[in-house]
């Protein structure tokens, strides 16, 4: 992954700790370096029956500093929500007065309304849960489709939503100058607009109808893809079916190549193979979710957001 130049600087105030779990040690070190924080690991033990026990990195007096940041990217979210509950409640009794969640990927944001009677609106439930645990939340491209701001989903004093669109656009401009940028569905229009505005890419957005988890129908917009290097840009790829179908249609329309850039590399199951089978060339992503496709680091922008939290709190 390309290194991100960052001046060591304590972005969240003096003696602020960056707490993390073992599986996110690498991104925690990158963020700690960019933000000038000290990263410390939360020890996690899983009992034979599946319950979790956490041990927090307290000082010799058994205390934590008044300010702490907890890094947890919420892909594979269900168990992590329990970790957040345990850790965030416990740090308060150990001295933490201000706790920021940095969740580069924020789960449960897509179910933002009851599409059928009785469906749980997960965005509201999980948003309310996180608001009860944290004073500030920082995330990246949280898939806010029917609401305008992150604070409408997570009502904390500071709720900051960054975007991967511009850093991804910078990467695309280096690797595919003159690319035709295509969004696979209406929801991607916001990221396509940001990326295109930054580098003047030609751009267009498809229309999509979802029939099931792995079943989508896509229509290309009026565009001339003949001979063009196309880059599909979206906030996330989960099963990969959306991007795969869009890629097939673009190649049928004469595109010379189709590459993919996403903020969140969920890539569930056979998603990457599905993209390859559809003729996709390169797959690029931010490091919001650790994945072999990561090419665009977000530690710099996340550190900048932590400075904002520090300034106004
Ligand atoms: C939804 O609108 C998102 O922006 C993505 O397009 C969607 O989650 C992709 O899902 P999948 O990869 O499963 O088709």
């Amino acid at each position: 992954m390309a290194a991100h130049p960052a001046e060591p600087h304590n972005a969240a105030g003096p003696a602020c700790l960056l707490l993390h779990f073992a599986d996110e040690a690498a991104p925690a070190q990158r963020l700690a370096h960019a933000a000038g924080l000290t990263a410390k690991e939360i020890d996690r033990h899983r009992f034979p029956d599946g319950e979790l026990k956490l041990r927090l990195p307290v000082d010799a007096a058994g205390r934590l500093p008044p300010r702490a940041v907890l890094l947890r990217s919420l892909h594979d979210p269900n168990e992590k929500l329990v970790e957040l509950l345990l850790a965030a409640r416990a740090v308060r009794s150990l001295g933490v007065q201000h706790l920021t969640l940095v969740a580069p990927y924020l789960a449960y944001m897509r179910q933002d309304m009851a599409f059928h009677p009785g469906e749980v609106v997960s965005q509201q439930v999980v948003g309310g849960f996180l608001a009860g645990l944290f004073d500030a939340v920082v995330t990246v491209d949280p898939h806010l489709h029917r609401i305008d701001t992150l604070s409408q989903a997570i009502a904390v004093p500071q709720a900051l939503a960054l975007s991967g669109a511009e850093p991804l656009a910078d990467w695309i401009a280096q690797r595919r100058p003159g690319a035709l940028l295509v969004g696979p569905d209406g929801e991607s229009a916001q990221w396509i607009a940001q990326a295109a505005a930054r580098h003047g890419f030609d751009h267009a957005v498809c229309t999509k109808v979802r029939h099931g988890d792995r079943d989508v129908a896509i229509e290309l917009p009026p565009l001339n893809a003949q001979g063009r290097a196309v880059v599909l840009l979206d906030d996330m790829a989960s099963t990969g079916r959306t991007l795969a179908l869009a890629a097939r249609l673009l190649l049928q329309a004469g595109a010379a190549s189709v590459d993919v850039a996403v903020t969140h590399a969920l890539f569930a199951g056979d998603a990457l193979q599905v993209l390859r089978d559809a003729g996709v060339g390169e797959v690029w992503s931010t490091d919001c979710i650790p994945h072999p496709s990561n090419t665009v680091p977000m530690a710099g922008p996340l550190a900048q957001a932590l400075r904002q939290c520090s300034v106004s709190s």
Side-chain angles (χ1 to χ4, degrees):
M1 185 190 314
H4 196 285
E7 289 295 311
H9 172 84
N10 191 333
C16 178
L17 280 188
L18 175 64
L19 302 170
H20 66 91
F21 290 85
D23 60 302
E24 288 182 296
Q29 289 302 334
R30 291 197 291 273
L31 179 56
H33 177 73
L37 300 176
T38 302
K40 292 216 170 158
E41 189 175 312
I42 300 174
D43 186 62
R44 178 186 186 274
H45 174 73
R46 177 198 283 281
F47 290 105
D49 61 5
E51 287 186 10
L52 299 174
K53 179 181 73 175
L54 304 184
R55 186 171 179 199
L56 295 157
V58 291
D59 63 16
R63 304 290 291 169
L64 292 166
R67 298 177 74 89
V69 176
L70 176 52
L71 173 69
R72 205 63 177 131
S73 202
L74 293 173
H75 50 292
D76 298 327
N78 298 340
E79 196 164 272
K80 290 178 185 168
L81 293 176
V82 176
E83 292 172 351
L84 294 187
L85 173 67
L86 296 171
R89 288 268 183 256
V91 299
R92 304 288 181 179
S93 63
L94 297 170
V96 173
Q97 293 158 21
H98 188 279
L99 183 61
T100 300
L101 172 66
V102 175
Y105 175 66
L106 189 57
Y108 283 114
M109 291 295 113
R110 281 171 289 179
Q111 183 74 24
D112 59 357
M113 63 176 278
F115 297 91
H116 302 98
E119 272 183 2
V120 174
V121 183
S122 313
Q123 184 185 84
Q124 286 175 2
V125 176
V126 173
F129 171 76
L130 296 175
L133 296 177
F134 296 95
D135 302 292
V137 173
V138 178
T139 189
V140 183
D141 288 334
H143 203 89
L144 305 180
H145 181 48
R146 268 166 277 267
I147 58 173
D148 298 324
T149 63
L150 181 61
S151 60
Q152 290 171 266
I154 308 177
V156 286
Q158 291 163 310
L160 302 182
L162 314 182
S163 179
E166 291 192 350
L168 285 167
D170 294 347
W171 177 265
I172 294 164
Q174 279 176 33
R175 300 298 298 261
R176 296 288 183 271
L180 168 60
L181 216 55
V182 176
D185 55 27
E187 294 174 20
S188 64
Q190 52 186 302
W191 300 293
I192 293 292
Q194 282 178 52
R198 191 162 170 93
H199 288 286
F201 294 118
D202 293 341
H203 57 284
V205 173
C206 305
T207 44
K208 176 174 88 177
V209 178
R210 183 173 284 285
H211 299 296
D213 289 345
R214 292 176 172 72
D215 184 10
V216 293
I218 288 180
E219 213 174 289
L220 290 185
L223 53 73
N224 183 2
Q226 195 64 44
R228 298 293 301 267
V230 176
V231 177
L232 280 163
L233 176 69
D234 204 358
D235 62 333
M236 67 181 76
S238 177
T239 68
R241 265 58 178 184
T242 295
L243 292 170
L245 180 54
R248 279 186 199 283
L249 295 173
L250 286 159
L251 290 166
Q252 283 164 15
S257 62
V258 178
D259 303 300
V260 158
V262 292
T263 301
H264 300 301
L266 288 166
F267 294 121
D270 62 355
L272 275 182
Q273 191 55 47
V274 167
L275 291 181
R276 300 281 177 232
D277 293 347
V280 168
E282 305 251 2
V283 178
W284 304 307
S285 64
T286 74
D287 61 354
C288 288
I289 296 175
H291 187 268
S293 62
N294 291 169
T295 51
V296 175
M298 291 300 292
L302 289 170
Q304 186 63 36
L306 286 177
R307 282 183 197 108
Q308 267 178 264
C309 289
S310 172
V311 165
S312 49
S313 64

